[in-house]
Amino acid sequence: SAVVLLALIPTLARLPTIGIIMFAQVVNGLLLPCVAALLFACVNDARLMSAAPQSTWGNARALPCVGICCFLAFTVLSKQTVCRLVPGWGGRQAMAIALPCTLGVVTGLCLLVRSSRKMTASARVAADAAARRGAEPSAELTIARPRAANADLSV
């Protein structure tokens, strides 16, 4: 019932309903690429996903979705800012601005995933080598391998 009352406030205050809906959609459209990029980074982080980070095939399917979301958001953002300030600029120039921004975001995400996987792989190799020697791996090397619930926490 609180949600219904909250939804009635703009109507009772005689605010422009279409303007509020448009504003909400613009905010949603700008937040979606941020959420998609953060979700992509999180599902590839071995510390968050424990022993099952996103597969390469999963990344190949998810990265275009993130790229399209970013491209659309950058296009709208550049069209509503830069193209309004520069006379004669329109959708084509907005897309020309959005494309390098999108490629930068997608490249940054790929580099982030790659460095995370390299760090996880080197931590696993070091932990396996320590296990073969019979030594306890150091705390920095146990990032990719969560400890058991009843394990001794002293390192």
Side-chain angles (χ1 to χ4, degrees):
S1 74
V3 175
V4 173
L5 291 175
L6 185 64
L8 283 175
I9 291 173
T11 305
L12 295 174
R14 299 198 187 273
L15 295 175
T17 309
I18 301 297
I20 292 172
I21 292 171
M22 292 289 289
F23 176 75
Q25 291 302 316
V26 168
V27 170
N28 285 334
L30 293 177
L31 286 178
L32 178 62
C34 300
V35 171
L38 288 174
L39 181 64
F40 183 81
C42 287
V43 298
N44 282 290
D45 190 356
R47 291 175 292 180
L48 294 176
M49 296 301 290
S50 187
Q54 178 88 341
S55 67
T56 304
W57 176 244
N59 284 340
R61 289 181 290 166
L63 199 58
C65 296
V66 174
I68 290 169
C69 288
C70 289
F71 178 74
L72 292 173
F74 284 131
T75 301
V76 169
L77 196 60
S78 61
K79 190 170 184 178
Q80 295 299 320
T81 56
V82 177
C83 293
R84 283 189 177 190
L85 296 174
V86 180
W89 277 30
R92 188 171 285 180
Q93 287 81 6
M95 287 191 274
I97 294 170
L99 187 62
C101 296
T102 302
L103 291 175
V105 168
V106 169
T107 303
L109 284 172
C110 289
L111 292 174
L112 178 73
V113 168
R114 183 176 177 209
S115 68
S116 173
R117 289 187 181 211
K118 278 186 176 182
M119 185 175 66
T120 302
S122 65
R124 282 189 182 144
V125 169
D128 289 342
R132 279 190 297 251
R133 288 189 313 245
E136 173 92 16
S138 66
E140 296 84 27
L141 300 178
T142 57
I143 291 173
R145 294 185 178 197
R147 296 177 189 244
N150 58 358
D152 182 22
L153 296 178
S154 61
V155 176

mmCIF file with all atom_site columns, all heavy atoms in Angstrom, residues 44-61:
data_model
loop_
_atom_site.group_PDB
_atom_site.id
_atom_site.type_symbol
_atom_site.label_atom_id
_atom_site.label_alt_id
_atom_site.label_comp_id
_atom_site.label_asym_id
_atom_site.label_entity_id
_atom_site.label_seq_id
_atom_site.pdbx_PDB_ins_code
_atom_site.Cartn_x
_atom_site.Cartn_y
_atom_site.Cartn_z
_atom_site.occupancy
_atom_site.B_iso_or_equiv
_atom_site.pdbx_formal_charge
_atom_site.auth_seq_id
_atom_site.auth_comp_id
_atom_site.auth_asym_id
_atom_site.auth_atom_id
_atom_site.pdbx_PDB_model_num
ATOM 1   N N   . ASN A 1 44 ? 33.160 -12.649 -13.031 1.00 0.00 ? 44 ASN A N   1
ATOM 2   C CA  . ASN A 1 44 ? 34.485 -13.103 -13.442 1.00 0.00 ? 44 ASN A CA  1
ATOM 3   C C   . ASN A 1 44 ? 35.505 -13.043 -12.311 1.00 0.00 ? 44 ASN A C   1
ATOM 4   O O   . ASN A 1 44 ? 36.655 -13.403 -12.510 1.00 0.00 ? 44 ASN A O   1
ATOM 5   C CB  . ASN A 1 44 ? 34.978 -12.277 -14.631 1.00 0.00 ? 44 ASN A CB  1
ATOM 6   C CG  . ASN A 1 44 ? 34.331 -12.710 -15.904 1.00 0.00 ? 44 ASN A CG  1
ATOM 7   O OD1 . ASN A 1 44 ? 34.606 -13.794 -16.396 1.00 0.00 ? 44 ASN A OD1 1
ATOM 8   N ND2 . ASN A 1 44 ? 33.441 -11.897 -16.428 1.00 0.00 ? 44 ASN A ND2 1
ATOM 9   N N   . ASP A 1 45 ? 35.113 -12.576 -11.154 1.00 0.00 ? 45 ASP A N   1
ATOM 10  C CA  . ASP A 1 45 ? 36.022 -12.464 -10.017 1.00 0.00 ? 45 ASP A CA  1
ATOM 11  C C   . ASP A 1 45 ? 36.008 -13.771 -9.239  1.00 0.00 ? 45 ASP A C   1
ATOM 12  O O   . ASP A 1 45 ? 34.979 -14.185 -8.703  1.00 0.00 ? 45 ASP A O   1
ATOM 13  C CB  . ASP A 1 45 ? 35.592 -11.306 -9.122  1.00 0.00 ? 45 ASP A CB  1
ATOM 14  C CG  . ASP A 1 45 ? 36.631 -10.979 -8.068  1.00 0.00 ? 45 ASP A CG  1
ATOM 15  O OD1 . ASP A 1 45 ? 37.648 -11.698 -7.975  1.00 0.00 ? 45 ASP A OD1 1
ATOM 16  O OD2 . ASP A 1 45 ? 36.420 -10.004 -7.329  1.00 0.00 ? 45 ASP A OD2 1
ATOM 17  N N   . ALA A 1 46 ? 37.159 -14.423 -9.165  1.00 0.00 ? 46 ALA A N   1
ATOM 18  C CA  . ALA A 1 46 ? 37.247 -15.715 -8.478  1.00 0.00 ? 46 ALA A CA  1
ATOM 19  C C   . ALA A 1 46 ? 36.992 -15.581 -6.977  1.00 0.00 ? 46 ALA A C   1
ATOM 20  O O   . ALA A 1 46 ? 36.505 -16.513 -6.352  1.00 0.00 ? 46 ALA A O   1
ATOM 21  C CB  . ALA A 1 46 ? 38.626 -16.334 -8.715  1.00 0.00 ? 46 ALA A CB  1
ATOM 22  N N   . ARG A 1 47 ? 37.309 -14.430 -6.402  1.00 0.00 ? 47 ARG A N   1
ATOM 23  C CA  . ARG A 1 47 ? 37.062 -14.263 -4.966  1.00 0.00 ? 47 ARG A CA  1
ATOM 24  C C   . ARG A 1 47 ? 35.578 -14.220 -4.659  1.00 0.00 ? 47 ARG A C   1
ATOM 25  O O   . ARG A 1 47 ? 35.136 -14.704 -3.625  1.00 0.00 ? 47 ARG A O   1
ATOM 26  C CB  . ARG A 1 47 ? 37.725 -12.982 -4.460  1.00 0.00 ? 47 ARG A CB  1
ATOM 27  C CG  . ARG A 1 47 ? 39.246 -13.073 -4.465  1.00 0.00 ? 47 ARG A CG  1
ATOM 28  C CD  . ARG A 1 47 ? 39.835 -11.764 -4.072  1.00 0.00 ? 47 ARG A CD  1
ATOM 29  N NE  . ARG A 1 47 ? 39.540 -10.816 -5.166  1.00 0.00 ? 47 ARG A NE  1
ATOM 30  C CZ  . ARG A 1 47 ? 39.891 -9.558  -5.181  1.00 0.00 ? 47 ARG A CZ  1
ATOM 31  N NH1 . ARG A 1 47 ? 40.505 -9.045  -4.159  1.00 0.00 ? 47 ARG A NH1 1
ATOM 32  N NH2 . ARG A 1 47 ? 39.612 -8.795  -6.214  1.00 0.00 ? 47 ARG A NH2 1
ATOM 33  N N   . LEU A 1 48 ? 34.784 -13.650 -5.555  1.00 0.00 ? 48 LEU A N   1
ATOM 34  C CA  . LEU A 1 48 ? 33.340 -13.586 -5.333  1.00 0.00 ? 48 LEU A CA  1
ATOM 35  C C   . LEU A 1 48 ? 32.627 -14.855 -5.763  1.00 0.00 ? 48 LEU A C   1
ATOM 36  O O   . LEU A 1 48 ? 31.660 -15.276 -5.136  1.00 0.00 ? 48 LEU A O   1
ATOM 37  C CB  . LEU A 1 48 ? 32.746 -12.395 -6.101  1.00 0.00 ? 48 LEU A CB  1
ATOM 38  C CG  . LEU A 1 48 ? 33.171 -11.019 -5.627  1.00 0.00 ? 48 LEU A CG  1
ATOM 39  C CD1 . LEU A 1 48 ? 32.593 -9.961  -6.543  1.00 0.00 ? 48 LEU A CD1 1
ATOM 40  C CD2 . LEU A 1 48 ? 32.708 -10.787 -4.207  1.00 0.00 ? 48 LEU A CD2 1
ATOM 41  N N   . MET A 1 49 ? 33.082 -15.447 -6.844  1.00 0.00 ? 49 MET A N   1
ATOM 42  C CA  . MET A 1 49 ? 32.399 -16.614 -7.403  1.00 0.00 ? 49 MET A CA  1
ATOM 43  C C   . MET A 1 49 ? 33.003 -17.924 -6.924  1.00 0.00 ? 49 MET A C   1
ATOM 44  O O   . MET A 1 49 ? 32.660 -18.979 -7.446  1.00 0.00 ? 49 MET A O   1
ATOM 45  C CB  . MET A 1 49 ? 32.442 -16.551 -8.936  1.00 0.00 ? 49 MET A CB  1
ATOM 46  C CG  . MET A 1 49 ? 31.683 -15.377 -9.512  1.00 0.00 ? 49 MET A CG  1
ATOM 47  S SD  . MET A 1 49 ? 29.967 -15.359 -9.075  1.00 0.00 ? 49 MET A SD  1
ATOM 48  C CE  . MET A 1 49 ? 29.376 -16.738 -10.018 1.00 0.00 ? 49 MET A CE  1
ATOM 49  N N   . SER A 1 50 ? 33.905 -17.863 -5.981  1.00 0.00 ? 50 SER A N   1
ATOM 50  C CA  . SER A 1 50 ? 34.549 -19.035 -5.398  1.00 0.00 ? 50 SER A CA  1
ATOM 51  C C   . SER A 1 50 ? 35.252 -19.835 -6.488  1.00 0.00 ? 50 SER A C   1
ATOM 52  O O   . SER A 1 50 ? 36.114 -19.306 -7.172  1.00 0.00 ? 50 SER A O   1
ATOM 53  C CB  . SER A 1 50 ? 33.520 -19.860 -4.640  1.00 0.00 ? 50 SER A CB  1
ATOM 54  O OG  . SER A 1 50 ? 34.145 -20.889 -3.938  1.00 0.00 ? 50 SER A OG  1
ATOM 55  N N   . ALA A 1 51 ? 34.874 -21.066 -6.679  1.00 0.00 ? 51 ALA A N   1
ATOM 56  C CA  . ALA A 1 51 ? 35.593 -21.925 -7.619  1.00 0.00 ? 51 ALA A CA  1
ATOM 57  C C   . ALA A 1 51 ? 34.970 -21.933 -9.009  1.00 0.00 ? 51 ALA A C   1
ATOM 58  O O   . ALA A 1 51 ? 35.418 -22.665 -9.869  1.00 0.00 ? 51 ALA A O   1
ATOM 59  C CB  . ALA A 1 51 ? 35.638 -23.346 -7.073  1.00 0.00 ? 51 ALA A CB  1
ATOM 60  N N   . ALA A 1 52 ? 33.925 -21.149 -9.250  1.00 0.00 ? 52 ALA A N   1
ATOM 61  C CA  . ALA A 1 52 ? 33.244 -21.210 -10.547 1.00 0.00 ? 52 ALA A CA  1
ATOM 62  C C   . ALA A 1 52 ? 33.020 -19.835 -11.159 1.00 0.00 ? 52 ALA A C   1
ATOM 63  O O   . ALA A 1 52 ? 31.897 -19.378 -11.284 1.00 0.00 ? 52 ALA A O   1
ATOM 64  C CB  . ALA A 1 52 ? 31.912 -21.931 -10.392 1.00 0.00 ? 52 ALA A CB  1
ATOM 65  N N   . PRO A 1 53 ? 34.100 -19.132 -11.550 1.00 0.00 ? 53 PRO A N   1
ATOM 66  C CA  . PRO A 1 53 ? 33.879 -17.859 -12.244 1.00 0.00 ? 53 PRO A CA  1
ATOM 67  C C   . PRO A 1 53 ? 33.305 -18.107 -13.636 1.00 0.00 ? 53 PRO A C   1
ATOM 68  O O   . PRO A 1 53 ? 33.261 -19.238 -14.114 1.00 0.00 ? 53 PRO A O   1
ATOM 69  C CB  . PRO A 1 53 ? 35.274 -17.237 -12.317 1.00 0.00 ? 53 PRO A CB  1
ATOM 70  C CG  . PRO A 1 53 ? 36.210 -18.374 -12.181 1.00 0.00 ? 53 PRO A CG  1
ATOM 71  C CD  . PRO A 1 53 ? 35.512 -19.424 -11.376 1.00 0.00 ? 53 PRO A CD  1
ATOM 72  N N   . GLN A 1 54 ? 32.875 -17.055 -14.279 1.00 0.00 ? 54 GLN A N   1
ATOM 73  C CA  . GLN A 1 54 ? 32.245 -17.136 -15.601 1.00 0.00 ? 54 GLN A CA  1
ATOM 74  C C   . GLN A 1 54 ? 33.187 -17.809 -16.592 1.00 0.00 ? 54 GLN A C   1
ATOM 75  O O   . GLN A 1 54 ? 34.382 -17.531 -16.624 1.00 0.00 ? 54 GLN A O   1
ATOM 76  C CB  . GLN A 1 54 ? 31.902 -15.724 -16.068 1.00 0.00 ? 54 GLN A CB  1
ATOM 77  C CG  . GLN A 1 54 ? 31.293 -15.650 -17.419 1.00 0.00 ? 54 GLN A CG  1
ATOM 78  C CD  . GLN A 1 54 ? 29.792 -15.780 -17.372 1.00 0.00 ? 54 GLN A CD  1
ATOM 79  O OE1 . GLN A 1 54 ? 29.235 -16.263 -16.415 1.00 0.00 ? 54 GLN A OE1 1
ATOM 80  N NE2 . GLN A 1 54 ? 29.141 -15.326 -18.408 1.00 0.00 ? 54 GLN A NE2 1
ATOM 81  N N   . SER A 1 55 ? 32.656 -18.674 -17.427 1.00 0.00 ? 55 SER A N   1
ATOM 82  C CA  . SER A 1 55 ? 33.460 -19.349 -18.444 1.00 0.00 ? 55 SER A CA  1
ATOM 83  C C   . SER A 1 55 ? 33.755 -18.393 -19.601 1.00 0.00 ? 55 SER A C   1
ATOM 84  O O   . SER A 1 55 ? 33.117 -17.348 -19.746 1.00 0.00 ? 55 SER A O   1
ATOM 85  C CB  . SER A 1 55 ? 32.718 -20.581 -18.968 1.00 0.00 ? 55 SER A CB  1
ATOM 86  O OG  . SER A 1 55 ? 31.571 -20.172 -19.683 1.00 0.00 ? 55 SER A OG  1
ATOM 87  N N   . THR A 1 56 ? 34.698 -18.785 -20.426 1.00 0.00 ? 56 THR A N   1
ATOM 88  C CA  . THR A 1 56 ? 35.032 -17.974 -21.590 1.00 0.00 ? 56 THR A CA  1
ATOM 89  C C   . THR A 1 56 ? 33.832 -17.888 -22.543 1.00 0.00 ? 56 THR A C   1
ATOM 90  O O   . THR A 1 56 ? 33.561 -16.837 -23.119 1.00 0.00 ? 56 THR A O   1
ATOM 91  C CB  . THR A 1 56 ? 36.248 -18.576 -22.325 1.00 0.00 ? 56 THR A CB  1
ATOM 92  O OG1 . THR A 1 56 ? 37.321 -18.685 -21.386 1.00 0.00 ? 56 THR A OG1 1
ATOM 93  C CG2 . THR A 1 56 ? 36.675 -17.718 -23.483 1.00 0.00 ? 56 THR A CG2 1
ATOM 94  N N   . TRP A 1 57 ? 33.097 -18.997 -22.697 1.00 0.00 ? 57 TRP A N   1
ATOM 95  C CA  . TRP A 1 57 ? 31.912 -18.994 -23.548 1.00 0.00 ? 57 TRP A CA  1
ATOM 96  C C   . TRP A 1 57 ? 30.846 -18.062 -22.977 1.00 0.00 ? 57 TRP A C   1
ATOM 97  O O   . TRP A 1 57 ? 30.178 -17.341 -23.712 1.00 0.00 ? 57 TRP A O   1
ATOM 98  C CB  . TRP A 1 57 ? 31.385 -20.414 -23.698 1.00 0.00 ? 57 TRP A CB  1
ATOM 99  C CG  . TRP A 1 57 ? 30.123 -20.505 -24.485 1.00 0.00 ? 57 TRP A CG  1
ATOM 100 C CD1 . TRP A 1 57 ? 28.919 -20.932 -24.027 1.00 0.00 ? 57 TRP A CD1 1
ATOM 101 C CD2 . TRP A 1 57 ? 29.922 -20.149 -25.847 1.00 0.00 ? 57 TRP A CD2 1
ATOM 102 N NE1 . TRP A 1 57 ? 27.979 -20.874 -25.013 1.00 0.00 ? 57 TRP A NE1 1
ATOM 103 C CE2 . TRP A 1 57 ? 28.571 -20.393 -26.159 1.00 0.00 ? 57 TRP A CE2 1
ATOM 104 C CE3 . TRP A 1 57 ? 30.731 -19.642 -26.853 1.00 0.00 ? 57 TRP A CE3 1
ATOM 105 C CZ2 . TRP A 1 57 ? 28.024 -20.147 -27.408 1.00 0.00 ? 57 TRP A CZ2 1
ATOM 106 C CZ3 . TRP A 1 57 ? 30.180 -19.403 -28.097 1.00 0.00 ? 57 TRP A CZ3 1
ATOM 107 C CH2 . TRP A 1 57 ? 28.860 -19.658 -28.366 1.00 0.00 ? 57 TRP A CH2 1
ATOM 108 N N   . GLY A 1 58 ? 30.700 -18.072 -21.677 1.00 0.00 ? 58 GLY A N   1
ATOM 109 C CA  . GLY A 1 58 ? 29.757 -17.155 -21.037 1.00 0.00 ? 58 GLY A CA  1
ATOM 110 C C   . GLY A 1 58 ? 30.159 -15.699 -21.241 1.00 0.00 ? 58 GLY A C   1
ATOM 111 O O   . GLY A 1 58 ? 29.303 -14.837 -21.465 1.00 0.00 ? 58 GLY A O   1
ATOM 112 N N   . ASN A 1 59 ? 31.455 -15.432 -21.168 1.00 0.00 ? 59 ASN A N   1
ATOM 113 C CA  . ASN A 1 59 ? 31.950 -14.071 -21.419 1.00 0.00 ? 59 ASN A CA  1
ATOM 114 C C   . ASN A 1 59 ? 31.715 -13.657 -22.863 1.00 0.00 ? 59 ASN A C   1
ATOM 115 O O   . ASN A 1 59 ? 31.385 -12.500 -23.138 1.00 0.00 ? 59 ASN A O   1
ATOM 116 C CB  . ASN A 1 59 ? 33.439 -13.977 -21.093 1.00 0.00 ? 59 ASN A CB  1
ATOM 117 C CG  . ASN A 1 59 ? 33.687 -13.928 -19.613 1.00 0.00 ? 59 ASN A CG  1
ATOM 118 O OD1 . ASN A 1 59 ? 32.805 -13.595 -18.831 1.00 0.00 ? 59 ASN A OD1 1
ATOM 119 N ND2 . ASN A 1 59 ? 34.887 -14.285 -19.211 1.00 0.00 ? 59 ASN A ND2 1
ATOM 120 N N   . ALA A 1 60 ? 31.875 -14.603 -23.798 1.00 0.00 ? 60 ALA A N   1
ATOM 121 C CA  . ALA A 1 60 ? 31.650 -14.291 -25.217 1.00 0.00 ? 60 ALA A CA  1
ATOM 122 C C   . ALA A 1 60 ? 30.191 -13.939 -25.473 1.00 0.00 ? 60 ALA A C   1
ATOM 123 O O   . ALA A 1 60 ? 29.888 -13.175 -26.389 1.00 0.00 ? 60 ALA A O   1
ATOM 124 C CB  . ALA A 1 60 ? 32.072 -15.473 -26.079 1.00 0.00 ? 60 ALA A CB  1
ATOM 125 N N   . ARG A 1 61 ? 29.285 -14.473 -24.669 1.00 0.00 ? 61 ARG A N   1
ATOM 126 C CA  . ARG A 1 61 ? 27.869 -14.134 -24.831 1.00 0.00 ? 61 ARG A CA  1
ATOM 127 C C   . ARG A 1 61 ? 27.493 -12.879 -24.057 1.00 0.00 ? 61 ARG A C   1
ATOM 128 O O   . ARG A 1 61 ? 26.610 -12.128 -24.469 1.00 0.00 ? 61 ARG A O   1
ATOM 129 C CB  . ARG A 1 61 ? 26.995 -15.296 -24.376 1.00 0.00 ? 61 ARG A CB  1
ATOM 130 C CG  . ARG A 1 61 ? 27.059 -16.470 -25.332 1.00 0.00 ? 61 ARG A CG  1
ATOM 131 C CD  . ARG A 1 61 ? 26.172 -17.581 -24.869 1.00 0.00 ? 61 ARG A CD  1
ATOM 132 N NE  . ARG A 1 61 ? 26.791 -18.152 -23.671 1.00 0.00 ? 61 ARG A NE  1
ATOM 133 C CZ  . ARG A 1 61 ? 26.173 -18.962 -22.834 1.00 0.00 ? 61 ARG A CZ  1
ATOM 134 N NH1 . ARG A 1 61 ? 24.930 -19.290 -23.027 1.00 0.00 ? 61 ARG A NH1 1
ATOM 135 N NH2 . ARG A 1 61 ? 26.800 -19.446 -21.799 1.00 0.00 ? 61 ARG A NH2 1
#
